[in-house]
Amino acid sequence: MMTPLGEAIRERNLGQASASTAILEDVLADGFERVLAKWMARLRRAWRDRDPFSERRLEELRACARLFDLSGSRRIAEFLEFADAYKSRDAQSPGVVQVTTVHKSKGLGFDIVILPELGGDSLTATRADLAVKEGDRGAIDWIFRMPVKEFAKADPVLRAYTEEEEADACYESLCDFYVAMTRAKRAMYLIAEPLGKSSQRKNFVRLLEHTLAAGQPGGTAQVGALAAKLRYADGDPDWISRRSGQTPRHQPKLPMPAVPAAKPRRRMARRTPSGSESYALTPAQLFSRDGRAARDFGTAVHALFEDVEWAEDAAPAERRAAWEAQGHDARAIAQTIACLDDAALRQELGRPAPGAAVWRERRFEIALGGEWISGTFDRVTLLPGSDPGTFASAQILDFKTDKASADETAAQIAERYRPQQELYRRVLAKLANLPENKIEYCLMFTAQREVVRLF
């Protein structure tokens, strides 16, 4: 090893294999920044003739590692990919106001920093979706779809996982705020609405309230009131005058003008099209094993239809062989192939005209009528318009694995979905710039191989 790093490795009496093992163990225990700091210290002792540019690059690498450590990952490949894309930036020209994110401000410094709208979610907020529990060395112990918090806290294993995730989320949130609050050289302004007397939110404003209120009369006085007391507790309030060469003018303090309260912004209610269905499930249906199996089966069928762009692109037998080789559910394959073998259904899934486009399992998020709508189209076929980039008409096709019974036909089942489908049609009309009367809506009942047209 002819590089200064080779001398640093010999300093620890490590061979190549043992060096790799030692570094991996150190990264797992301490993170990338601490490990790099240790090796940089050894490298500096061995590399005595380094130039200022190389020294600056070392510090930039350490800053990159510090930022990556905020993700919590200890995977070498992810760090190398992150470092490859990392860019070190110098501050822009003096006198320029920069609006940026906390992460993009990393490594920069500014005379004045303003952090607005510091309310927000709890410091311990986590994603309530799929839980992935990792062991001590990064191996995955288990994966589980998390229930609601009340149920998770009732189980000791899930409660311990939730507490660990909340602690990690709190740590990452505080790291972000630390980065934001250490960008200021001269002055920093934190702007937040006061917490209500009955508020229980454990967000950053609550942390500031308790921190600034320590030792103050009243203990938990509002941040806004404390700001007036602590405004010049540290630093020089006349720094701007001194920086510009002007003599500070001590003026009598004037009463602060009353600022009218900002008009509260109305938060749009979130809604999903599936929430518009006009029927209810009994508790037995919702929590039964059969109910879970039916939902899993429906998901499997949807995944197979997502793989079908146009029915004529491949013969059903070819698709069956491919899906079986991929390990898809046998029952779902049988039902999907039966639909593709049906001449009428195959026509519904075929290309209706040259230039037609198809969306499969297309997610959407849209503001509509004062509400925030989230959902997924199973399948949308769009016929091209006379002008490029426009559409003449469209068809929405929903796949339903519901089974008709002696008491209820497919057409009657379809009526239960009418409110949901009306909302889907309004969304597509907005997204595709089409009048609603140019959008056809169909439900394909895969079990009985029947198509019902609602609009």
Side-chain angles (χ1 to χ4, degrees), residues 1-10 43 46-47:
M1 297 183 183
M2 302 300 293
T3 70
L5 188 59
E7 186 174 337
I9 291 177
R10 286 193 295 272
L43 184 60
W47 187 13

Side-chain angles (χ1 to χ4, degrees), residues 156-208:
V157 175
L158 296 184
R159 182 173 64 251
Y161 174 84
T162 300
E163 291 172 352
E164 182 180 340
E165 288 294 296
E166 288 180 348
D168 288 344
C170 184
Y171 177 78
E172 291 181 13
S173 297
L174 292 176
C175 286
D176 287 343
F177 284 117
Y178 174 80
V179 169
M181 295 175 67
T182 53
R183 300 307 94 208
K185 299 177 183 177
R186 306 281 183 173
M188 179 177 63
Y189 299 88
L190 309 180
I191 301 175
E193 293 185 4
L195 292 169
K197 293 182 179 179
S198 59
S199 174
Q200 299 296 318
R201 300 182 97 182
K202 297 180 180 179
N203 57 10
F204 188 64
V205 178
R206 175 72 68 191
L207 178 63
L208 281 178

Side-chain angles (χ1 to χ4, degrees), residues 335-350:
Q335 190 164 117
T336 308
I337 292 297
C339 293
L340 293 172
D341 277 331
D342 186 284
L345 270 59
R346 190 174 178 82
Q347 184 175 354
E348 295 287 346
L349 298 168

Side-chain angles (χ1 to χ4, degrees), residues 123-333:
L123 291 171
T124 60
T126 60
R127 296 186 208 168
D129 45 16
L130 202 63
V132 180
K133 175 62 176 176
E134 294 186 359
D136 294 338
R137 291 186 169 271
I140 296 176
D141 289 345
W142 50 262
I143 301 175
F144 187 73
R145 188 177 296 280
M146 291 291 285
V148 297
K149 282 190 176 181
E150 289 75 9
F151 291 166
K153 290 182 178 179
D155 179 84
V157 175
L158 296 184
R159 182 173 64 251
Y161 174 84
T162 300
E163 291 172 352
E164 182 180 340
E165 288 294 296
E166 288 180 348
D168 288 344
C170 184
Y171 177 78
E172 291 181 13
S173 297
L174 292 176
C175 286
D176 287 343
F177 284 117
Y178 174 80
V179 169
M181 295 175 67
T182 53
R183 300 307 94 208
K185 299 177 183 177
R186 306 281 183 173
M188 179 177 63
Y189 299 88
L190 309 180
I191 301 175
E193 293 185 4
L195 292 169
K197 293 182 179 179
S198 59
S199 174
Q200 299 296 318
R201 300 182 97 182
K202 297 180 180 179
N203 57 10
F204 188 64
V205 178
R206 175 72 68 191
L207 178 63
L208 281 178
E209 177 180 296
H210 285 291
T211 303
L212 297 179
Q216 295 291 330
T220 58
Q222 293 294 339
V223 174
L226 286 167
K229 299 178 184 178
L230 305 176
R231 182 172 298 162
Y232 300 133
D234 190 19
D236 180 8
D238 290 321
W239 70 269
I240 296 179
S241 299
R242 297 183 191 284
R243 185 177 176 87
S244 61
Q246 300 174 2
T247 302
R249 293 180 299 171
H250 297 283
Q251 299 178 345
K253 293 184 178 180
L254 299 176
M256 293 292 289
V259 179
K263 185 178 180 181
R265 291 178 295 178
R266 180 173 170 268
R267 185 184 294 272
M268 287 188 290
R270 194 172 186 205
R271 179 180 172 194
T272 61
S274 59
S276 304
E277 298 171 10
S278 58
Y279 69 97
L281 293 173
T282 65
Q285 290 173 317
L286 183 61
F287 294 107
S288 70
R289 292 183 179 179
D290 291 342
R292 177 61 181 270
R295 292 191 296 275
D296 292 343
F297 177 74
T299 301
V301 170
H302 275 73
L304 294 176
F305 275 115
E306 183 183 1
D307 196 42
V308 178
E309 184 173 15
W310 303 113
E312 61 269 21
D313 289 345
E318 295 175 4
R319 295 188 189 275
R320 180 192 293 273
W323 289 339
E324 288 175 347
Q326 294 166 8
H328 287 281
D329 181 80
R331 288 176 54 244
I333 293 175

Side-chain angles (χ1 to χ4, degrees), residues 20-89:
S20 299
T21 302
I23 291 172
L24 289 172
E25 290 176 347
D26 289 346
V27 166
L28 188 61
D30 300 326
F32 286 92
E33 184 193 3
R34 288 186 179 180
V35 172
L36 279 173
K38 293 176 183 177
W39 280 93
M40 284 178 185
R42 299 185 186 110
L43 184 60
R44 287 184 175 106
R45 289 195 293 271
W47 187 13
R48 298 176 184 84
D49 59 345
R50 62 187 181 279
D51 56 279
F53 174 79
S54 299
E55 182 65 31
R56 187 167 66 252
R57 296 292 282 176
L58 286 174
E59 288 305 318
E60 288 172 353
L61 178 60
R62 183 174 176 179
C64 170
R66 185 184 308 122
L67 186 59
F68 180 78
D69 280 343
L70 295 177
S71 70
S73 174
R74 294 293 186 266
R75 292 183 172 87
I76 301 290
E78 290 182 8
F79 173 66
L80 293 177
E81 183 178 352
F82 181 87
D84 186 56
Y86 178 80
K87 293 182 180 180
S88 175
R89 297 167 292 109

